[in-house]
């Protein structure tokens, strides 16, 4: 394994300062990535005039993780996290591109595949430093069972319509949370979450009619599950 850690700092008058770290890591044939952290404090106004005195704290987190293609293809993990405090780029930008950037996306993904199925778990976030609004989606889960034939006869010389009945199964679950970054994880979070589960069960088969015509009947069963509901009533009182 190889790890490189770099520290950079800024010191200004009036007690202003900033610190940035860059950590590059690489484990051969397994994974590699970069972690960037930044923090700064800037003082505005005059201590002798309390109404004008203000200390601004800002930070950023950037994490990129990549898995080597040669390492366990049945299990995949990747991450691209980019969270920036609303004031960080304003006070610490190294170029005009950083100063003007105001929208940041983050994504973390885990995937597990087997012979019969696959499982994917995602976490995603979208941030706007101008509006200070954040959209968070976690967990976002997808579980898929590959097509299988439950009525297929193993030693049958000729397949009939029941042998060809194929079934898939798909489960999708999603939880979202939105709000201003300063209060996103404060208060009653559960009441502000939106989450649900969807089940899908496609069933199909095929058979020939008059030798040259193929008929493919299909049935798609699905259901949606929510943990919350809205009930409204209208009451009218006679005078």
């Amino acid at each position: 394994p190889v790890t490189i850690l770099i520290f950079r700092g800024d010191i200004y008058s009036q007690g202003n300062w900033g610190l940035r770290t860059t950590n590059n890591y690489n484990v051969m044939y397994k994974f590699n990535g970069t972690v960037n952290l930044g923090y700064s404090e800037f003082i505005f106004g005059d201590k002798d005039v309390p109404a004008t005195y203000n200390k601004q704290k800002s930070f950023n987190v950037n994490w990129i993780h990549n898995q080597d293609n040669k390492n366990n293809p049945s299990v995949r993990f990747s991450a691209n996290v980019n969270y920036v405090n609303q004031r960080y780029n304003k006070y610490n930008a190294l170029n005009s591109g950083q100063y003007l950037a105001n929208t940041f996306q983050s994504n973390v993904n885990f995937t597990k595949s087997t012979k019969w199925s696959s499982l994917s778990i995602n976490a995603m976030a979208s941030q706007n430093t101008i509006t200070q609004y954040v959209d968070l989606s976690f967990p976002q889960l997808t579980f898929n069972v590959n097509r299988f034939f439950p009525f297929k006869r193993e030693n049958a010389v000729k397949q009939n319509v029941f042998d060809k009945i194929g079934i898939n199964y798909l489960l999708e679950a999603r939880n979202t949370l939105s709000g201003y970054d300063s209060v996103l994880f404060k208060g009653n979070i559960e009441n502000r979450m939106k989450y649900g589960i969807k089940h899908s069960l496609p069933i199909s088969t095929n058979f020939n009619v008059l030798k040259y015509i193929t008929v493919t009947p299909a049935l798609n069963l699905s259901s949606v599950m929510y943990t919350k509901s809205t009930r409204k009533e209208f009451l009218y009182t006679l005078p």
Side-chain angles (χ1 to χ4, degrees):
V2 177
T3 302
I4 300 175
L5 181 61
I6 300 173
F7 286 90
R8 292 186 176 92
D10 302 316
I11 300 177
Y12 305 96
S13 60
Q14 304 291 334
N16 301 325
W17 63 278
L19 181 65
R20 297 183 298 275
T21 68
T22 300
N23 181 22
N24 298 318
Y25 58 90
N26 186 1
V27 178
M28 189 172 293
Y29 304 123
K30 289 189 176 182
F31 55 80
N32 63 81
T34 302
V35 179
N36 297 318
L37 304 175
Y39 180 84
S40 68
E41 290 188 6
F42 283 82
I43 298 174
F44 299 89
D46 192 336
K47 287 185 178 180
D48 297 330
V49 184
T52 64
Y53 184 78
N54 184 25
K55 181 183 288 188
Q56 299 283 357
K57 300 178 181 180
S58 58
F59 64 92
N60 85 310
V61 178
N62 177 256
W63 176 38
I64 298 176
H65 180 89
N66 299 300
Q67 182 175 325
D68 195 296
N69 293 329
K70 302 181 181 65
N71 181 34
N72 195 357
S74 64
V75 178
R76 311 296 302 173
F77 177 78
S78 63
N80 189 344
V81 177
N82 194 14
Y83 182 84
V84 180
N85 180 269
Q86 59 177 327
R87 295 176 295 268
Y88 187 83
N89 276 3
K90 180 179 180 180
Y91 302 141
N92 300 275
L94 301 177
N95 52 61
S96 60
Q98 289 183 353
Y99 184 83
L100 296 174
N102 55 67
T103 303
F104 302 93
Q105 307 288 336
S106 299
N107 182 50
V108 179
N109 175 260
F110 171 82
T111 303
K112 170 66 177 179
S113 301
T114 66
K115 181 180 179 181
W116 302 103
S117 64
S118 64
L119 172 67
S120 177
I121 302 176
N122 276 18
M124 296 185 294
S126 176
Q127 176 198 7
N128 189 305
T129 56
I130 294 180
T131 62
Q132 304 175 31
Y133 205 78
V134 177
D135 291 312
L136 180 65
S137 177
F138 176 78
Q140 186 170 328
L141 183 147
T142 302
F143 176 68
N144 181 63
V145 177
N146 299 334
R147 186 175 177 83
F148 62 98
F149 301 87
F151 306 109
K152 184 178 181 179
R153 297 168 298 170
E154 295 296 334
N155 299 320
V157 178
K158 185 178 180 180
Q159 292 185 339
N160 58 30
V161 65
F162 295 102
D163 292 319
K164 298 178 182 180
I165 294 178
I167 301 176
N168 294 80
Y169 173 70
L170 176 64
L171 181 148
E172 298 174 284
R174 186 178 181 185
N175 176 49
T176 61
L177 177 65
S178 301
Y180 294 101
D181 55 6
S182 58
V183 296
L184 186 64
F185 297 106
K186 296 181 180 179
N188 195 336
I189 300 177
E190 184 177 354
N191 287 340
R192 292 187 283 115
M193 285 183 175
K194 299 178 181 179
Y195 39 92
I197 300 173
K198 181 179 180 181
H199 304 271
S200 299
L201 192 69
I203 305 172
S204 63
T205 186
N206 66 82
F207 57 90
N208 293 331
V209 177
L210 302 177
K211 190 176 181 179
Y212 299 106
I213 301 175
T214 301
V215 179
T216 307
L219 176 66
N220 191 358
L221 304 176
S222 64
S223 68
V224 179
M225 303 168 60
Y226 296 100
T227 57
K228 297 180 181 179
S229 62
T230 301
R231 181 177 179 178
K232 297 182 179 180
E233 296 182 357
F234 177 75
L235 300 177
Y236 178 75
T237 304
L238 293 176

